[in-house]
Amino acid sequence: LHGWSQGAGVCDGDRFLTDEWKAVADTHNYVLVAPDGLDEGDGSEFPKSWAVPGSRNGRGQNGDVTSCDRFKSGAPDHCFPSCNGCGGNRCGWAQCQDDDVQFFVDLVADLRNYICMNSARVYVYGYSAGGMMAWALGQDQRSAPLLAGIGAIQGLPMWDYLLGKGVPRSRKLPVIGIYGSRDCSVPPGDGRDQFNEVCDGDGYYYVDAWHQHRLWAEDHSCPVTTSKPEARFGYNIPGRNEISCSSHCNPSSGPPASVDCRNNDGHGKEPWHLDAALKFFDDHARADGLL
């Protein structure tokens, strides 16, 4: 899933689906499907965003929490006609004309008409706003049952959407997140607070990665504690020395269900991010006897 102001074929001015990215998927025998998002208004030829919880109206679950500092937000550049402006508080930044979760559900169903699919091995991988959408798909009860794993790159839920997985506690839904410690667009934080404000001046708030991964681990019955990242378990992804990964789940009992990976990068994306995520998915597939 692409990021904000991008389409499936465009990523910061460069084609996202280059031969290099496709080669990563081919190496792991994955079929790579990259849909476009939806937007209206100027620049609609490059769909701007997936609509994730809080992105349309800039509000939390009960409507009483604002997901940005409204005096700093990027509005009116982020306002769309389908949302009647900026969601009332200048914090909205996504289209309101379509349900992107239902779009994903319909897409998975439609793909069965075109490719040979293993329903037990459908994964979602997204960068930036696409990473936020990946979390949203894992949290929503309509889409989560379709998934075998989630890869979120430089993307976290909007503030006040610190939510667990959208499947029963007994149903596994592993997630790997890869975050840059110098990312000012979606800062992962250090676990001190439940949300972090961006450091690029736009004023948006995102859930802290430590808290999100801790909740996901707890949803998988991992014996989590309140201790901060230094007390968690390490997790190694072969050949991926660019990142340091850890989990609230003990990997000695099998691949951990919630893995938080960090490096010293900013808000970037690289083909090796996909390689790391697919290796994580393969690790779980082998443990489940699917590979």
Side-chain angles (χ1 to χ4, degrees), residues 113-197:
N113 298 317
Y114 300 95
I115 61 176
C116 181
M117 281 178 57
N118 182 345
S119 297
R121 298 200 62 196
V122 175
Y123 306 91
V124 62
Y125 171 92
Y127 159 73
S128 190
M132 299 173 202
M133 189 65 203
W135 279 110
L137 292 171
Q139 294 166 336
D140 195 290
Q141 295 180 3
R142 293 171 294 167
S143 49
L146 303 176
L147 298 173
I150 300 165
I153 313 303
Q154 321 291 18
L156 287 156
M158 299 293 295
W159 169 229
D160 203 40
Y161 292 93
L162 176 57
L163 304 173
K165 57 191 175 82
V167 290
R169 196 178 183 92
S170 59
R171 162 73 150 80
K172 188 173 81 169
L173 182 53
V175 63
I176 181 171
I178 300 178
Y179 314 104
S181 61
R182 295 187 296 108
D183 187 349
C184 275
S185 298
V186 189
D190 57 11
R192 296 183 201 177
D193 300 304
Q194 286 197 348
F195 72 94
N196 302 293
E197 181 179 343

Side-chain angles (χ1 to χ4, degrees), residues 2-7 10 36-49 77 79-81:
H2 62 76
W4 195 87
S5 194
Q6 301 160 4
V10 177
D36 273 331
L38 181 66
D39 186 28
E40 84 269 35
D42 292 341
S44 60
E45 69 273 18
F46 298 137
K48 282 191 170 63
S49 178
D77 293 341
C79 296
F80 306 111

Side-chain angles (χ1 to χ4, degrees), residues 16-27 270-272 274:
F16 181 66
L17 295 180
T18 63
D19 289 341
E20 189 175 8
W21 287 82
K22 294 175 183 176
V24 172
D26 290 344
T27 297
E270 298 290 343
W272 65 259
L274 178 61

